[in-house]
Amino acid sequence: MEKKAVAYAGSRQAELSDSLGFGVDGSVWLLHSKERIQPWAAKLFRADKAYCRERDCYLRLREQNVENVRGFAVPAYLHHDDAWLVVEMTIVRPPYLLDFAGALLDEPFDFHEETWEAWEMDRMEKFEDRWPEVKKVMIELEYHGIFLSDLHPGNIAFE
């Protein structure tokens, strides 16, 4: 993935800096250039489906002028490239909300009740006493038509 990141940065007249993280869907890299004061992030995806979900969520959030959700900063959309499967965004600091690759737009997930119960129990364990606030974040996102399933402390960071 690093070779792809270097090539992509070059295509944008930018320089690749540090890796900001990686996961199942792809990797996130820090970019910088002489033309921009602040560095920014580029998320490179491995597959179309996750890329399209994330791109479309960021476009929705931009369209609805959403900069934060219940006090959690959301990276601002900067650019996307369908050929490279890349979404560029600003860098945020905690508290923040990241990663929409597993989200659905305008339709909730169609899971059986038992699956939802198991999912919620797992999230309650991961977030402990902060789970009620995470649920409120989910509800606010649903108001914007964004339904999340991939929730963990790496995606929703508290201060």
Side-chain angles (χ1 to χ4, degrees):
M1 221 40 189
E2 187 170 356
K3 286 182 181 180
K4 180 181 176 182
V6 169
Y8 177 74
S11 78
R12 298 281 291 147
Q13 289 75 50
E15 292 184 35
L16 187 70
S17 190
D18 299 325
S19 168
L20 297 176
F22 60 90
V24 173
D25 297 312
S27 57
V28 183
W29 297 86
L30 187 65
L31 299 179
H32 59 90
S33 72
K34 293 176 184 173
E35 288 75 38
R36 286 187 134 152
I37 296 170
Q38 297 291 326
W40 69 101
K43 185 168 182 181
L44 287 78
F45 291 84
R46 290 183 176 88
D48 287 345
K49 187 175 183 179
Y51 163 73
C52 290
R53 285 179 172 184
E54 183 129 342
R55 177 201 62 200
D56 294 349
C57 284
Y58 275 112
L59 291 173
R60 170 74 55 88
L61 291 166
R62 182 183 71 168
E63 175 185 293
Q64 296 183 3
N65 298 312
V66 176
E67 296 175 0
N68 73 75
V69 177
R70 297 193 55 82
F72 291 85
V74 176
Y77 164 87
L78 298 173
H79 176 78
H80 71 272
D81 190 306
D82 293 340
W84 285 92
L85 302 180
V86 174
V87 176
E88 294 181 25
M89 63 202 79
T90 60
I91 298 167
V92 292
R93 302 204 187 291
Y96 60 68
L97 171 64
L98 306 171
D99 197 353
F100 299 97
L104 293 180
L105 280 181
D106 301 324
E107 59 182 81
F109 289 89
D110 186 23
F111 295 140
H112 294 286
E113 188 174 333
E114 300 83 26
T115 304
W116 271 120
E117 289 172 5
W119 179 89
E120 188 163 7
M121 291 299 291
D122 180 61
R123 295 325 179 265
M124 287 172 71
E125 288 176 21
K126 288 180 179 176
F127 288 103
E128 298 175 340
D129 61 330
R130 293 182 161 168
W131 174 240
E133 182 60 27
V134 172
K135 281 188 75 164
K136 290 175 184 175
V137 167
M138 290 176 57
I139 290 167
E140 187 168 327
L141 282 170
E142 289 171 8
Y143 171 79
H144 297 287
I146 297 173
F147 295 84
L148 289 179
S149 67
D150 183 21
L151 293 171
H152 55 78
N155 292 350
I156 300 180
F158 289 80
E159 238 176 323

